[in-house]
């Protein structure tokens, strides 16, 4: 939505410049102090400075990416500290997800980095389609890769796109990227406690889809 009284958010690009136009995405920062803001980290003020003020000098960095609509409404798109290093290029997973979610056929997505012998890390995308969408997965995969290539760069294109009916989420609706990462890494013993999931059956569907995709 729009900011509350006394809160002045700004969106910043990768070069640290303020994005003034609407219908754009960037790093969410605060341009001025506000009531109740944090002022330090206990016994580690230097870490407070480095975390919140050094990334974008003169602004308070929230750590989140956000999208500002044509009407000026803000939507937080995800954490920017979840970064994939592909062939020396650092890409935020939220940045790729933002592009995938702009496809009319896509309801939501989750992007995970995985170990790649040549590139260091590869890009693995989980995509949930909107109800009633009837399209061949191979065709849609090509369309999604083209969108990522045009909006970001070719190196950001997913190596794998796994289509799923649903993603594992907590009861509050947060996507459990930790679980997805373990599935991609084939570390099934490291899945951990799944009791907080809204529907544990979603994990089994993801596992079967992952095995099917790798067997192609």
């Amino acid at each position: 939505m729009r900011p509350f009284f006394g809160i002045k958010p700004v969106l910043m690009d990768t070069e640290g410049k303020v994005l003034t136009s609407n219908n754009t995405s960037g790093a969410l920062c605060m341009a001025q102090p506000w009531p109740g803001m944090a002022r330090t980290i206990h016994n580690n003020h230097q870490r407070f400075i480095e975390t919140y003020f050094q990334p974008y000098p003169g602004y308070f960095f929230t750590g989140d990416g956000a999208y500002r609509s044509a009407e000026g409404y803000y939507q937080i798109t995800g954490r920017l500290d979840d970064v994939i290093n592909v062939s020396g290029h650092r890409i935020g997973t939220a940045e790729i997800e933002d592009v995938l979610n702009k496809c009319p056929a896509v309801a939501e997505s989750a992007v995970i980095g995985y170990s790649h012998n040549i590139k260091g890390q590869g890009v693995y995308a989980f995509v949930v389609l909107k109800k009633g969408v009837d399209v061949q997965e191979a065709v849609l995969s090509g369309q999604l890769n083209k969108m990522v290539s045009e909006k970001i760069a070719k190196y950001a294109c997913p190596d794998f796109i796994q289509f799923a009916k649903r993603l594992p989420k907590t009861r509050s609706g947060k996507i459990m990227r930790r679980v997805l990462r373990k599935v991609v890494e084939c570390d099934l013993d490291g899945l951990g406690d799944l009791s907080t999931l809204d529907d544990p059956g979603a994990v089994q569907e993801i596992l079967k889809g992952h095995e099917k995709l790798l067997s192609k």
Side-chain angles (χ1 to χ4, degrees):
M1 297 298 289
R2 294 187 187 277
F4 193 69
F5 305 118
I7 309 295
K8 190 177 180 182
V10 293
L11 298 182
M12 312 288 286
D13 65 13
T14 54
E15 297 179 357
K17 296 178 181 177
V18 177
L19 298 167
T20 56
S21 61
N22 285 347
N23 194 24
T24 188
S25 297
L28 180 63
C29 297
M30 297 298 168
Q32 64 184 29
W34 69 95
M37 73 173 287
R39 287 182 286 181
T40 191
I41 294 176
H42 184 58
N43 289 335
N44 199 344
H45 188 68
Q46 185 58 33
R47 182 185 173 194
F48 177 73
I49 298 297
E50 292 173 356
T51 303
Y52 298 106
F53 292 97
Q54 280 190 0
Y56 299 94
Y59 297 88
F60 182 95
F61 176 46
T62 65
D64 289 315
Y67 167 73
R68 185 168 57 225
S69 71
E71 297 81 15
Y73 294 105
Y74 287 84
Q75 177 187 355
I76 293 177
T77 54
R79 297 293 298 173
L80 292 181
D81 53 8
D82 195 357
V83 174
I84 305 174
N85 195 329
V86 182
S87 301
H89 301 281
R90 290 173 61 81
I91 319 160
T93 55
E95 189 179 356
I96 303 174
E97 290 170 3
D98 188 45
V99 175
L100 296 176
N101 293 343
K102 282 185 169 64
C103 176
V106 175
E108 61 181 346
S109 64
V111 171
I112 306 296
Y114 72 96
S115 181
H116 193 285
N117 292 334
I118 299 173
K119 298 188 289 186
Q121 278 189 298
V123 181
Y124 194 109
F126 294 90
V127 172
V128 177
L129 300 180
K130 293 178 180 177
K131 290 183 178 179
V133 171
D134 184 19
V135 63
Q136 289 186 346
E137 292 183 357
V139 174
L140 187 55
S141 292
Q143 292 176 357
L144 293 174
N145 271 316
K146 184 179 179 183
M147 289 176 65
V148 173
S149 177
E150 291 175 350
K151 295 288 185 179
I152 306 176
K154 275 195 172 183
Y155 58 76
C157 292
D159 301 281
F160 296 97
I161 297 179
Q162 179 179 334
F163 294 96
K165 293 182 180 178
R166 51 191 170 160
L167 298 176
K169 295 181 179 180
T170 62
R171 292 181 181 88
S172 63
K174 181 181 178 182
I175 297 173
M176 294 285 281
R177 286 175 170 78
R178 170 185 64 82
V179 173
L180 295 176
R181 193 171 288 109
K182 293 298 181 182
V183 170
V184 172
E185 294 171 351
C186 298
D187 182 15
L188 303 187
D189 294 331
L191 285 175
D193 182 19
L194 301 179
S195 61
T196 57
L197 289 177
D198 180 46
D199 185 359
V203 178
Q204 295 303 318
E205 290 180 9
I206 292 291
L207 283 169
K208 289 179 181 177
H210 179 63
E211 292 172 359
K212 183 179 177 182
L213 187 61
L214 293 185
S215 64
K216 287 184 179 180

